[in-house]
Amino acid sequence: MTDGLRRGRASLAFAFFAQGVAFALLVTRIPAIQDRYGVSDALLPAFLAAVPVLAGAGSVATEWLVRRVPASAVLRWSQPVVLLALLGVGAGERLAELAVALGVFGLAVGALDASMNMLGVSLQRSYGRSIMLGFHAAYSLGGILGASLAWVGAHWGLALVVSYLPVVGVLLPLCLVVSRWYVDGGRAPAGEGEGDGEGGGVVFKALLPLCLVMTFAYIGDSTVANWSAKYLQDVLGSSEQTATVPYNVYMVTTLLGRAVGDFGVRRFGAVAVVRGGALVAAAGFAVVAGAPGAWVGMLGFTLLGLGLCVLVPQTFAAAGRLFPGASDAAVARLNVFNYVGFLIGSPLVGALGDAWSYRGAMLVPMVLVLVTLVYARSFAAQPDRYGGGHERPRTADVGRGSYGV
């Protein structure tokens, strides 16, 4: 273990943290953005949907870019663009300016998410043990800070640009400074790419189970983000103030779960952790759906945070293990399904809630999360060509090739 690797790990964790702050500042101030630009309720969904669609395009473009430049270079320049685009959202005055700023934000976020996880996957290979959950814990911490700063801005009635400018002014130079220590990590040693398919490419048949797990995880996550407050207030009869609590609890338990998750992977193996996370998340949805009151509902959202938090980081890590000779391409393609789940989750629950009931709607993401159990073997430490294989509990992340990411 070298000082360069340690600095690379710390600098990448800061990049995850900064992205968590920026994204939370955007999504938690959507009502203020809508008011500033006069975006109608009918037009707002189109604006919101455009961001993940463009982010998916940015992720696809990143797969092409990293064939020509290191992933660290993509991250180094996409993160300042995201921060400046956020500032543009707060500083604009006309609807066209909002559209441009959100478009740039979406494209840059796709490149940022993909390149961050590429570096995380390659660093984990260099470390030889599970560290991926720690990066996503830094993202969760940033999200909590960003949401708190957004609350301060809303509470004091600050203009968007006044809320965003100090944050961007602090984070942007820090991101540029720490980017000096990004480490792209090593390629898989010779002989470790046999599962990649012809020419070291990505076999979509093998990647598909992980794409489905990624989609299901983000359907669950977007359900909590978009519907927890409405569910608590309209279905469980809580006050408006209490209805804001579940998502905060969800974010905190997500942070806690990710902070200790790497130790669980090292002790029990990735398959056991993913299975456990899926079961806990499903239990959370079941508690939410059957809750007699607000406090039991909050218990369900707490379980959701503890369960869902492990799925996304481990899915990226599994893609690197499955395609050790083409991990960047696998991560870029897998990252697209992050946005697919985000696009599907909120409309799906809303449509089912209106047509059936919101309690019943909560059972749908529960079933989808349980499907993860079917694909849990795709997270094994030593996969064969099509994603099967075996894992070694307690040492799943130790040694050459055992965590090929």
Side-chain angles (χ1 to χ4, degrees), residues 19 42 61 67 81 97 165 173 197 243 245 249 315 379 382-383:
Q19 171 59 356
R67 297 173 189 167
V81 173
E97 294 172 342
L165 183 59
V245 174
V249 170
T315 304
F379 292 80
Q382 294 182 331

Side-chain angles (χ1 to χ4, degrees), residues 195-265:
D196 299 349
E198 295 181 7
V202 176
V203 179
F204 187 70
K205 178 180 178 181
L207 188 65
L208 180 59
L210 299 180
C211 295
L212 293 174
V213 172
M214 180 71 79
T215 301
F216 300 156
Y218 270 99
I219 287 174
D221 182 81
S222 65
T223 297
V224 179
N226 292 291
W227 294 104
S228 58
K230 180 178 176 62
Y231 187 88
L232 222 71
Q233 188 170 356
D234 294 354
V235 178
L236 300 183
S238 76
S239 66
E240 183 178 357
Q241 183 176 356
T242 304
T244 65
V245 174
Y247 187 63
N248 290 330
V249 170
Y250 173 79
M251 292 174 67
V252 171
T253 52
T254 295
L255 170 62
L256 294 176
R258 288 173 171 174
V260 301
D262 283 320
F263 298 104
V265 174

